[in-house]
Amino acid sequence: KTVGKRGEIYDMSGNLLVGNMPCVTLIIDPTHVKTQEKRQKMAAALARYLGKDAAELEAKLSPVRPKLNAARKPVYNQDGTPVMVPVRYAILAKHIPLDKAKKLRETMNKQGFKEIQYQYDTMRHYPKSGLLANILGLTQGDSASNAVAVFGVEKFYNDQIAPSGGR
């Protein structure tokens, strides 16, 4: 099943007030990055390019994480060590503009970091910036295709502009 993109909002004169902008989400299977040294180098390179914290990115590249219970607290073995589970999917960054993502892919490939995957997506775009924010409202969600209207015109017309399932 495919999901369409969220509808756009125009004013009476046909000017775009809210639209969808193509972007890229960086994802990775951390188990494919085989050494700690490579994880550190990859995190440092991504941090430089994206303006993010290298330690935070390195943590996302960890191939294991502590198992959490329903209360989101770590589960421990009888010897007091945390139960570790493999991490097969991690989001490194969201909403990267296409031109920046293209340059990033070239840079990462040249440095030998081919494990990163570039997932194409859309994000909500407000061409008039914050000018009409209180009226237009906003959405929450990872992308325009799974956005949930919170208030304003976005919420009022949600049934008409929410993406529908496809084939």
Side-chain angles (χ1 to χ4, degrees):
K1 179 179 173 181
T2 60
V3 177
K5 63 181 181 178
R6 189 166 181 83
E8 297 176 327
I9 300 173
Y10 296 87
D11 67 11
M12 289 179 14
S13 302
N15 298 309
L16 182 67
L17 298 176
V18 183
N20 299 306
M21 181 185 300
C23 63
V24 171
T25 298
L26 299 182
I27 59 175
I28 195 164
D29 177 344
T31 63
H32 291 173
V33 185
K34 298 300 181 189
T35 67
Q36 181 63 28
E37 180 184 3
K38 187 167 187 177
R39 283 189 284 280
Q40 289 171 339
K41 287 180 180 178
M42 184 183 290
L46 285 167
R48 277 192 306 276
Y49 199 86
L50 298 172
K52 292 186 171 257
D53 181 56
E56 183 180 311
L57 288 165
E58 189 177 339
K60 290 181 178 185
L61 291 168
S62 175
V64 294
R65 67 166 173 77
K67 182 177 181 175
L68 303 177
N69 61 20
R72 311 275 311 147
K73 303 286 183 193
V75 175
Y76 294 96
N77 292 311
Q78 289 180 347
D79 65 359
T81 61
V83 175
M84 302 302 278
V85 294
V87 177
R88 299 297 313 261
Y89 179 86
I91 297 174
L92 300 173
K94 297 179 185 178
H95 303 146
I96 300 172
L98 293 179
D99 56 339
K100 187 172 184 177
K102 182 180 178 186
K103 291 175 186 171
L104 176 63
R105 181 188 293 238
E106 291 168 1
T107 301
M108 294 295 109
N109 285 342
K110 284 179 186 174
Q111 294 182 32
F113 304 133
K114 298 181 187 212
E115 299 87 353
I116 300 170
Q117 298 173 32
Y118 301 79
Q119 181 178 24
Y120 291 93
D121 205 353
T122 56
M123 65 181 177
R124 289 307 260 174
H125 173 64
Y126 301 84
K128 304 290 185 202
S129 188
L131 182 64
L132 298 171
N134 290 335
I135 297 167
L136 295 171
L138 65 95
T139 59
Q140 291 180 337
D142 290 342
S143 68
S145 62
N146 72 356
V148 175
V150 178
F151 69 89
V153 174
E154 288 272 9
K155 183 159 181 125
F156 187 81
Y157 288 107
N158 190 57
D159 291 342
Q160 288 86 359
I161 64 176
S164 59
R167 297 174 210 238

